[in-house]
Amino acid sequence: INKDSNTDRSESESAVNGTQNPHTLQPTRKIALITGITGQDGSYLTEFLLNKGYEVHGLIRRSSNFNTQRINHIYIDPHNAHKALMKLHYADLSDASSLRRWLDTILPDEVYNLAAQSHVAVSFEIPDYTADVVATGALRLLEAVRSHVAASGRSHIKYYQAGSSEMFGSTPPPQSEATPFHPRSPYAASKCAAHWYTVNYREAYGIFACNGILFNHESPRRGENFVTRKITRAVGRIKIGLQSKLFLGNLQASRDWGFAGDYVEAMWLMLQQEKPDDYVVATEESHTVEEFLAVAFGYVGLDWRDHVVIDKRYFRPTEVDNLKGDASKAKKVLGWKPRVGFEKLVKMMVDEDVEFAKREKVLVDAGYMDAQQQP
Ligand code: NDP
Ligand code: GDR
């Protein structure tokens, strides 16, 4: 996609930037503001909210490469004002003024803070950047909401904070809202800070702010260096003959893996309740990385042991060994339950990545692409 003036996904120079009030377009629609709209969850949440009739505004960060691949399929040119219900704006969680300005301009009813440096292993490499975006970024956004409400009186505004099961860290399962946190990475410690900032802004200022404590959730849109997608990408490429080895770290870690499409509904449900609260969202089933490998490779008739090589570089200084959520509160209060189980999730991801590898193979055979090993 070309980011020339005509195709730029941001609207800094168009409708929403002060020249035209978005409310005049669809006065009855609810308005959501999403940080991290270009990420896995941001894309599913946008689809979900558009289906519910929302106008969705997303904050995207400037990058030297296009970063809107996950939402290109729902993008409509803003010049088509009545149809373009997803709008994008440049901002960054490290830039407080941009957050406040977009709140004042967009006047959202609901704010979903999904943006993060979300890779646990990478957080050991860039700890203070991770803390700045994940912890202080959440604080900046909460403070922007607080000051926006104080200035405008729009006290009905609701805030969702993307919390993580990583906050439980080494505390044994099952983990519920009452389980103590023991974070095991700069990422997890930063998410704990963001969690408590959110609780504090709720208690101190009466802001309708919720923490979703979400266990791992995956999809065909998962980033390619998270273990599930790394595995299913490799399965597709090995099956099609583009790759033979897959280098991984700790195979004994156990995770409660659900489907991202199911989890964004829980985020929305939290903001539809009478009172703000915190909720664990999980499938309540846990599987090791090795079990994921067995299902993924087995599904296409391969044996993972013929392909997987252990590489110490993927081990973490401190590991989270075992996560398994207790989502009884979300089930009871929100009426939420997951629709996609473990095997269905793995197969959905493998199916998509086999198709992806077939498309890559066409390009490789035509000499347009190298069949490079995955990073
Ligand atoms: P992704 O890594 O797929 O997406 C992260 C998003 O944050 C991207 O849109 C990214 O933009 C954006 N972002 C990163 N840094 C900044 C910044 N400085 N300013 C503004 N935006 C930024 O994450 P997921 O969609 O998987 O997760 C969504 C949220 O939920 C994250 O906060 C994550 O930590 C949390 N979470 C995720 C779980 C999971 O299993 N997926 C479980 C529990 C919590 P860009 O596209 O430009 O990189
Ligand atoms: P996680 O997800 O750390 O749980 O965080 P990830 O998929 O990165 O790791 C899961 C487990 O797999 C082990 N592992 C490997 N991980 C990666 N990435 N690459 C490998 O090669 C590899 N080999 C083994 C890991 O050690 C770990 O035990 C995700 C993120 O989405 C967070 O943002 C989110 O908060 C949590 O899930 C809940």
Side-chain angles (χ1 to χ4, degrees):
I1 283 156
N2 184 350
K3 260 200 170 175
D4 291 342
S5 54
N6 281 342
T7 50
D8 192 335
R9 264 51 180 145
S10 153
E11 298 193 355
S12 292
E13 290 146 29
S14 61
V16 176
N17 195 20
T19 54
Q20 193 176 5
N21 183 339
H23 295 218
T24 59
L25 304 179
Q26 294 287 350
T28 58
R29 286 185 188 278
K30 271 197 173 180
I31 298 181
L33 174 62
I34 303 177
T35 73
I37 193 169
T38 56
Q40 171 188 255
D41 291 7
S43 68
Y44 283 106
L45 181 62
T46 301
E47 286 170 356
F48 178 86
L49 293 174
L50 288 174
N51 278 336
K52 289 247 172 245
Y54 281 61
E55 182 175 304
V56 177
H57 293 253
L59 301 186
I60 59 170
R61 57 180 178 159
R62 195 271 161 180
S63 136
S64 69
N65 277 317
F66 303 136
N67 55 4
T68 54
Q69 292 87 341
R70 292 189 181 97
I71 48 174
N72 283 342
H73 63 287
I74 32 179
Y75 182 79
I76 295 172
D77 191 304
H79 299 99
N80 198 345
H82 291 285
K83 285 194 179 160
L85 294 175
M86 177 187 75
K87 296 153 198 281
L88 305 176
H89 319 278
Y90 282 116
D92 200 296
L93 277 197
S94 61
D95 185 317
S97 66
S98 64
L99 303 176
R100 175 67 200 275
R101 190 175 65 253
W102 286 121
L103 282 170
D104 290 349
T105 309
I106 293 162
L107 305 176
D109 302 296
E110 297 172 8
V111 176
Y112 295 86
N113 182 29
L114 309 185
Q117 188 304 92
S118 72
H119 202 284
V120 174
V122 173
S123 78
F124 289 98
E125 312 284 334
I126 47 171
D128 55 324
Y129 173 75
T130 301
D132 187 45
V133 174
V134 175
T136 311
L139 180 62
R140 286 187 192 103
L141 187 55
L142 281 161
E143 184 54 21
V145 169
R146 184 201 65 73
S147 59
H148 167 77
V149 170
S152 66
R154 300 182 69 249
S155 56
H156 71 281
I157 192 167
K158 296 176 176 180
Y159 175 92
Y160 172 83
Q161 170 59 31
S164 165
S165 52
E166 282 294 294
M167 299 187 295
F168 298 123
S170 57
T171 311
Q175 292 100 356
S176 74
E177 297 81 4
T179 303
F181 296 152
H182 187 143
R184 299 269 284 171
S185 63
Y187 166 82
S190 301
K191 281 289 183 190
C192 289
H195 175 96
W196 288 114
Y197 289 142
T198 305
V199 172
N200 182 244
Y201 270 61
R202 183 165 74 210
E203 292 174 355
Y205 305 115
I207 291 175
F208 191 112
C210 300
N211 286 293
I213 306 174
L214 272 53
F215 283 61
N216 297 55
H217 44 279
E218 319 293 314
S219 74
R221 298 183 200 166
R222 185 59 141 153
E224 293 191 27
N225 59 354
F226 295 95
V227 78
T228 54
R229 187 79 199 290
K230 187 171 167 182
I231 292 170
T232 61
R233 278 287 278 138
V235 166
R237 288 167 56 89
I238 291 169
K239 184 70 186 168
I240 300 303
L242 292 173
Q243 168 177 339
S244 61
K245 296 291 176 212
L246 167 60
F247 296 96
L248 291 175
N250 177 18
L251 306 188
Q252 299 318 314
S254 201
R255 291 288 182 275
D256 181 329
W257 276 302
F259 171 53
D262 289 345
Y263 284 41
V264 297
E265 183 185 11
M267 298 176 186
W268 175 79
L269 283 168
M270 287 177 212
L271 299 196
Q272 311 314 310
Q273 305 307 305
E274 253 178 46
K275 287 190 181 152
D277 206 345
D278 307 325
Y279 299 89
V280 158
V281 178
T283 68
E284 306 187 323
E285 239 188 68
S286 192
H287 298 272
T288 62
V289 175
E290 192 174 305
E291 286 170 324
F292 194 104
L293 281 168
V295 176
F297 277 83
Y299 181 47
V300 296
L302 296 171
D303 185 341
W304 67 270
R305 290 177 196 81
D306 297 335
H307 302 280
V308 171
V309 179
I310 301 301
D311 182 339
K312 289 223 157 17
R313 92 159 81 156
Y314 297 114
F315 283 81
R316 297 167 182 186
T318 39
E319 177 62 284
V320 171
D321 294 319
N322 196 358
L323 292 174
K324 182 173 184 277
D326 168 357
S328 38
K329 181 175 169 185
K331 285 182 177 162
K332 185 163 169 252
V333 180
L334 305 179
W336 176 88
K337 63 171 191 307
R339 294 187 178 87
V340 179
F342 178 68
E343 291 224 350
K344 192 169 164 190
L345 172 69
V346 179
K347 289 174 180 171
M348 173 205 298
M349 292 175 71
V350 170
D351 280 338
E352 293 257 357
D353 277 333
V354 168
E355 291 308 310
F356 190 174
K358 283 182 189 165
R359 293 196 295 276
E360 281 185 313
K361 178 88 165 46
V362 172
L363 295 177
V364 169
D365 289 346
Y368 291 122
M369 197 181 129
D370 286 336
Q372 281 166 348
Q373 178 73 40
Q374 288 289 99

